[in-house]
Amino acid sequence: MPTAYFNPPECRRHDMGEGHPECPERLAAIDDWLIASGLSQALEHFDARPVDLKDVELAHTHGYVSEIGTMLRDCAEKGERCAVDPDTSANAHTWSAALHAAGAAVQATDLVIDGRADNAFCSVRPPGHHATRDQSMGFCFFNNVAIAARHALDVRGLKRVAIVDFDVHHGNGTEDIIAGDDRVLMVSMFQHPLYPYSGAVPKGTNMVNVPLPAYTRGGEVREIIEAMWLPALERFKPQMIFISAGFDAHRDDELGQLGLVEADYEWITLKLKAIAERHAQGRIVSVLEGGYNLHALSRSVGVHLRVLADL
Ligand SMILES: [Zn+2]
């Protein structure tokens, strides 16, 4: 079975203005690298459909979905930029991008559960892990991974899924949505203190939060993962693993000060794949979060996908 790859063109039209690090070029850089390295032809490419808002409401409140929907559709009609928070804004294409980003994550989940792909990677934006039940923030509108995980549980009937978040920023939105939902184990690591300045005290017993001081390097991160994440995942025996795959903990990324390199992302992906193979029939859906140095981002996604696709 192939590795499924989603790279929706709609996601490249969302643009938060010149000089914003969460820019359309991120997806172009990833796609270029996959083509240049030959990896692209080993993946099975899928077109994303817009998400069903019923799926979005498995993770977000009805009030939030209707409010953000009205705002972003307005923005699309007027063709004007609207500000959401000091770091986050929308243009005429943001609504469509958000629908297709979450749609890709849900579709990838269905493909993997149906056995039509071993695993999947969604190269999408806007990212999702800062979006809480009822608030968009930190470049995020819909929490793509939380929506997909709830779809796997509530629509597809899985009993236990894990969410792994290795973005340099704490996935406060995902934690807000799934804290206390014992069908989900969330393991994460993040630089602390750093935006959004949360996570040091987990909000639920189904969270394994690992705050890391600035300048922590890959070797130490691996030791911590072996001590904290892997035993928890082994005990939990997830039937599927979702990855909030942010690559801004890379040494060359300017939004954080952690010291991961490509070999660390390769190691982490290998460990997660082994757990998925032992407990989850290999089922992994990985969804892009952060990663702002275009060179480091595209190379890191490359090694991540090479492991997922067994190449
Ligand atoms: Zn991040």
Side-chain angles (χ1 to χ4, degrees), residues 39-207:
L39 257 166
S40 187
Q41 46 187 304
L43 307 172
E44 188 156 346
H45 295 236
F46 288 89
D47 292 326
R49 291 186 298 269
V51 71
D52 186 331
L53 292 181
K54 283 206 262 331
D55 277 320
V56 177
E57 289 187 14
L58 299 174
H60 295 284
T61 63
H62 175 73
Y64 170 69
V65 175
S66 114
E67 183 192 332
I68 194 75
T70 305
M71 180 186 175
L72 295 182
R73 275 189 299 256
D74 259 13
C75 193
E77 274 167 30
K78 293 185 186 140
E80 284 170 10
R81 179 175 306 287
C82 34
V84 173
D85 79 12
D87 305 319
T88 313
S89 66
N91 71 353
H93 305 287
T94 302
W95 180 236
S96 167
L99 294 176
H100 284 85
V106 169
Q107 226 174 305
T109 302
D110 282 334
L111 281 174
V112 170
I113 292 177
D114 290 338
R116 289 162 58 206
D118 267 346
N119 50 41
F121 180 74
C122 303
S123 187
V124 293
R125 54 185 292 282
H129 74 153
H130 296 308
T132 69
R133 264 173 297 180
D134 58 4
Q135 200 183 347
S136 39
M137 60 181 275
F139 319 161
C140 302
F141 296 87
F142 288 154
N143 196 314
N144 306 316
V145 161
I147 292 167
R150 281 275 169 78
H151 176 84
L153 294 163
D154 294 343
V155 178
R156 301 304 310 264
L158 298 196
K159 303 273 184 285
R160 289 179 315 282
V161 304
I163 296 177
V164 177
D165 187 331
F166 54 68
D167 191 277
V168 79
H169 303 99
H170 174 234
N172 63 302
T174 315
E175 178 175 72
D176 177 64
I177 293 165
I178 61 106
D181 181 346
D182 291 333
R183 302 169 301 168
V184 188
L185 171 71
M186 179 175 182
V187 303
S188 70
M189 53 159 244
F190 46 89
Q191 184 179 326
H192 187 78
L194 184 70
Y195 182 90
Y197 304 100
S198 53
V201 180
K203 278 188 166 178
T205 51
N206 60 328
M207 305 277 151

